[in-house]
Amino acid sequence: PHAGSVESKNEAAMSELVPEPRQKPVVPMKPMGINASLLGYIGIDTIIEQMRKKTMKTGFDFNIMVVGQSGLGKSTLVNTLFKSQVSRKSSGWNREEKIPKTVEIKAIGHVIEEGGVKMKLTVIDTPGFGDQINNENCWEPIEKYINEQYEKFLKEEVNIARKKRIPDTRVHCCLYFISPTGHSLRPLDLEFMKHLSKVVNIIPVIAKADTMTLEEKTEFKQRVRKELEVNGIEFYPQKEFDEDLEDKTENDKIRQESMPFAVVGSDKEYQVNGKRVLGRKTPWGIIEVENLTHCEFALLRDFVIRTHLQDLKEVTHNIHYETYRAKRLNDNGGLPPMTVETEENHESNL
């Protein structure tokens, strides 16, 4: 056995020595050839493509609410935002109809398709808001509507046999229209935003901004920001939900410079320098809606649709809905009433 162990030691020593002369100098890795891809490529980068295909099949839901006095161009702005007739006005609403005595809530659904992507868009309008002599508590029907949508989603979620895809009617974004007075916010504006900023993503918008000069506009924006801050009103994007430094930097810029967006809406087209543009015609020229030197509409559109749409949905689901859900489950000893009833019935049957 002793001799054998010596042999095996020698073999081990030999095997250590043998590869030595064959060693090649270390060279940088070649660009991926066929062999390298067989050895090294796993395919993790296709996950994004898989997700894209899945989402393309199911499509997107996006529910946007517009709130503000009548005459501020809410319907026009929403039409301009989605470049199609999506507001209640364009859906057979009579101009002759009187302003409702209380806040009515009208939700109109549309399917918009672009580049193979389908979006089920719901525009929730609130005619009658802030139009009465006495506007006390006129935000209550709106708050009730928002909470009802959370309740609807919760009931679907706690069903034993729940749907694979729960229809989402929760309000992802509320555009709050501020009148371009150039003075301060009305008590009604502050009260509304104070109550509702806790349950929905509020984006303040200064409507019909073409009624103010550039200086007035800048001053008014700063004043609105200051008032919101003094009153402790958090609008979207809320500081505490910035996920990382990149988010924080991007959102800080929006919070400190862009908000509230001073916008002009228009669904009429005009020819300017041989180009067709959306605009408003005035005796002294055409205000181009998508021209940043004229108004901040393009900033608002990019913000709501091109950069933050998914985030608006996530904050709604992970923060606002989650808060509602936790409160409801706590109030009912851990179960929504529907489930409690069915359990009681079940016990009585036993």
Side-chain angles (χ1 to χ4, degrees):
H2 183 71
S5 68
V6 171
E7 269 173 36
S8 62
K9 270 181 190 169
N10 290 345
E11 272 173 28
M14 285 289 284
S15 67
E16 274 173 26
L17 290 169
V18 170
E20 277 301 314
R22 287 190 191 164
Q23 257 188 353
K24 290 178 183 166
V26 178
V27 286
M29 264 184 71
K30 282 189 297 196
M32 263 194 188
I34 293 166
N35 292 350
S37 69
L38 281 173
L39 292 169
Y41 178 64
I42 303 165
I44 296 169
D45 59 357
T46 63
I47 292 172
I48 301 293
E49 186 54 28
Q50 293 170 42
M51 286 161 77
R52 196 183 73 85
K53 278 185 180 162
K54 271 240 155 69
T55 354
M56 290 275 277
K57 273 182 195 162
T58 49
F60 295 87
D61 289 314
F62 188 60
N63 310 318
I64 186 168
M65 177 183 260
V66 286
V67 181
Q69 278 177 298
S70 54
L72 288 178
K74 298 189 297 292
S75 305
T76 309
L77 188 90
V78 176
N79 288 345
T80 321
L81 211 52
F82 296 98
K83 293 197 174 177
S84 49
Q85 301 293 314
V86 290
S87 70
R88 68 180 161 95
K89 286 252 175 84
S90 48
S91 306
W93 177 276
N94 235 340
R95 277 194 179 279
E96 283 71 57
E97 280 188 42
K98 285 200 291 287
I99 294 165
K101 282 278 176 284
T102 54
V103 179
E104 283 183 19
I105 292 170
K106 296 183 180 293
I108 296 153
H110 305 268
V111 174
I112 295 179
E113 193 170 340
E114 184 179 68
V117 180
K118 269 192 187 147
M119 182 163 81
K120 187 173 178 293
L121 172 73
T122 306
V123 177
I124 303 122
D125 203 345
T126 53
F129 177 83
D131 290 340
Q132 310 308 320
I133 293 166
N134 178 7
N135 288 306
E136 205 180 339
N137 298 348
C138 66
W139 58 81
E140 280 178 358
I142 296 172
E143 192 170 18
K144 185 169 168 266
Y145 177 87
I146 291 167
N147 285 329
E148 275 168 4
Q149 307 320 306
Y150 291 146
E151 182 65 25
K152 214 185 272 184
F153 197 89
L154 179 62
K155 279 183 178 161
E156 285 288 356
E157 212 177 40
V158 296
N159 274 345
I160 293 169
R162 60 181 178 183
K163 295 172 184 161
K164 188 181 170 191
R165 196 162 172 265
I166 299 170
D168 191 359
T169 58
R170 298 170 300 181
V171 181
H172 299 127
C173 166
C174 169
L175 289 183
Y176 188 80
F177 284 69
I178 297 163
S179 190
T181 57
H183 298 291
S184 46
L185 290 172
R186 295 172 308 158
L188 174 63
D189 300 329
L190 293 168
E191 281 298 320
F192 177 91
M193 288 192 257
K194 214 176 269 181
H195 278 85
L196 272 89
S197 58
K198 292 174 183 67
V199 294
V200 71
N201 293 319
I202 288 183
I203 297 176
V205 166
I206 296 169
K208 299 203 162 174
D210 53 331
T211 58
M212 294 189 283
T213 66
L214 292 177
E215 291 77 25
E216 284 171 343
K217 191 160 71 177
T218 313
E219 209 176 293
F220 188 44
K221 280 175 69 139
Q222 284 169 351
R223 192 172 297 155
V224 169
R225 276 200 293 271
K226 190 94 196 97
E227 282 189 40
L228 293 174
E229 197 183 314
V230 168
N231 287 278
I233 295 165
E234 280 268 321
F235 50 82
Y236 178 85
Q238 300 91 331
K239 280 180 194 146
E240 64 265 39
F241 309 146
D242 293 342
E243 285 180 10
D244 51 39
L245 196 64
E246 189 191 348
D247 268 12
K248 189 184 179 317
T249 315
E250 189 184 334
N251 290 342
D252 272 346
K253 196 170 182 294
I254 291 161
R255 284 187 285 257
Q256 289 157 17
E257 293 172 24
S258 308
M259 290 280 187
F261 296 98
V263 295
V264 179
S266 169
D267 32 24
K268 291 195 172 66
E269 279 190 351
Y270 294 98
Q271 287 276 351
V272 176
N273 302 331
K275 274 197 334 208
R276 288 167 65 148
V277 296
L278 283 171
R280 279 170 63 84
K281 196 170 184 158
T282 68
W284 47 87
I286 288 170
I287 295 153
E288 295 167 42
V289 168
E290 296 182 69
N291 183 338
L292 276 176
T293 56
H294 291 203
C295 89
E296 293 166 1
F297 170 79
L299 287 178
L300 172 70
R301 187 202 43 218
D302 289 358
F303 176 65
V304 172
I305 300 170
R306 297 182 187 180
T307 60
H308 283 68
L309 188 141
Q310 191 54 35
D311 190 58
L312 280 161
K313 293 182 66 169
E314 279 170 23
V315 172
T316 301
H317 182 71
N318 299 332
I319 312 289
H320 298 307
Y321 170 66
E322 211 51 41
T323 310
Y324 178 85
R325 183 176 170 276
K327 188 179 178 300
R328 282 287 281 115
L329 296 183
N330 273 333
D331 292 352
N332 290 292
L335 288 166
M338 278 179 66
T339 325
V340 175
E341 277 168 32
T342 49
E343 276 195 331
E344 278 168 8
N345 295 344
H346 181 62
E347 278 165 19
S348 62
N349 289 343
L350 291 173

